[in-house]
Amino acid sequence: MEDIDAIAALQDPVRRRLYEYVVAQGREVGRNEAAEAVGVARTLAAHHLDRLTEAGLLESGSRRLTGRSGPGAGRPAKVYTRARVERAVSLPARDYRTAAELLAEAAEQAGLDAGLYAAARRRGEALRGSAAPCGGLEEAMAMLAARGYEPYEPQLKGIAGVQDTECAEEVPGEAAPVVRMRNCPFHAVAERFPPLVCGMNLALLEGLLGTDGPVRARMDARPGECCVVVEASKNNAD
C-alpha cells in the first residue's frame, strides 16, 4: 500500500510536472528553479516538492546555491533530487523481480552469457521491427525515452561556447557528442549481476538501434546511470 500511496501523489498535475522536472535534471534542484520551470509560484512549488518528499518520491537536502561560502554567501537553500528507492505497483501482486534474479543467477552459473546476449539482440531487433537502423542521435533519444531509459546529451567541456557545468563531460575539444541515460530499466537485477545484465542491456540496444547505421551503443559504466551510452558510429562520424 505504501507504493500505491506514493504513486498516487503524482495524480496532481502540478506535482507531477515538478517531479518530472526534478528527475530530468539529474542533479539537485532548488525551489526557485523548479517553480520557474513549471510556471508556478515558489510557495506552491515548495508545498508540492515537500509533499513529494513526504511520499518518498524525492529526497531533500540543503546547500548554498551561490557556490560561495563564508560571510555574505547567503543561507543554504532547500534542494531536491529523485529518491533512490524504487516504486512499483501490481494488482494483483506479482514478483517478477525475484523471477528475473533467479533466471540471472542460473544463467550466470551455467555460463549462458552468449545465449542470453543473442536472445537480447534478437529481442531488440524484434522491437525495431522492419524499420531501418536508427538514423541519428535525435532518433535514438526518442527510442530510448520510449523505453524508459531517460536519455540526455551531456554538455562537453573544452568545446568553444560551452560552459563548464556540473553536467559537463571532461572530454577533449574534438570529442563527439554522446547520449547517456539516467535510468536503467533493469537496475535492480543489474545491481546483483552487473556483467551479465549490463551485457544483456548492450545487446538489446544493439538490436534496437542497429549495428550498421549512423549510431552505435557501447559500454561505458558510470555510477548512478545506465551502463550503456550511444554515440555516432565511427564509420559515419566523418
Side-chain angles (χ1 to χ4, degrees):
M1 293 298 294
E2 182 180 346
D3 282 357
I4 294 177
D5 292 339
I7 294 172
L10 297 173
Q11 184 174 1
D12 183 281
V14 174
R15 197 173 300 157
R16 180 162 188 161
R17 293 204 309 274
L18 286 164
Y19 174 78
E20 290 172 344
Y21 178 78
V22 172
V23 166
Q25 305 317 301
R27 55 174 172 78
E28 293 177 332
V29 174
R31 289 170 167 176
N32 287 341
E33 178 187 347
E36 183 176 350
V38 303
V40 298
R42 182 185 183 281
T43 52
L44 180 61
H47 166 73
H48 285 305
L49 290 167
D50 286 341
R51 286 290 302 275
L52 289 166
T53 302
E54 293 168 5
L57 296 174
L58 297 181
E59 294 177 357
S60 64
S62 62
R63 68 178 178 89
R64 289 188 174 91
L65 299 179
T66 61
R68 303 194 306 271
S69 59
R75 297 176 60 185
K78 200 163 187 179
V79 292
Y80 303 83
T81 56
R82 175 171 31 199
R84 285 163 288 187
V85 66
E86 186 174 307
R87 301 288 184 179
V89 174
S90 177
L91 297 174
R94 298 288 186 260
D95 189 4
Y96 300 114
R97 175 175 171 176
T98 297
E101 289 177 346
L102 289 171
L103 290 169
E105 182 178 356
E108 191 172 74
Q109 291 179 352
L112 300 178
D113 307 46
L116 174 63
Y117 300 161
R121 194 169 289 107
R122 289 194 300 271
R123 174 60 62 92
E125 292 169 350
L127 292 171
R128 176 158 52 94
S130 59
C134 181
L137 291 181
E138 185 175 344
E139 183 180 340
M141 289 186 71
M143 296 172 71
L144 294 167
R147 303 206 64 79
Y149 283 92
E150 298 181 10
Y152 72 100
E153 287 186 276
Q155 295 178 342
L156 304 178
K157 286 185 177 179
I159 293 181
V162 176
Q163 297 179 347
D164 290 354
T165 67
E166 294 180 5
C167 297
E169 294 284 336
E170 290 283 5
V171 297
E174 296 301 319
V178 299
V179 171
R180 293 191 177 273
M181 294 163 266
R182 292 195 172 97
N183 183 51
C184 172
F186 317 109
H187 174 72
V189 187
E191 279 194 316
R192 288 197 57 190
F193 308 95
L196 182 75
V197 178
C198 289
M200 178 199 74
N201 188 24
L202 174 61
L204 177 71
L205 292 181
E206 285 176 339
L208 180 67
L209 302 174
T211 57
D212 54 354
V215 302
R216 72 177 186 119
R218 64 175 174 84
M219 200 75 74
D220 187 8
R222 170 177 291 194
E225 295 191 351
C226 180
C227 57
V228 178
V229 300
V230 178
E231 65 183 5
S233 172
K234 292 182 179 180
N235 296 330
N236 296 274
D238 298 333

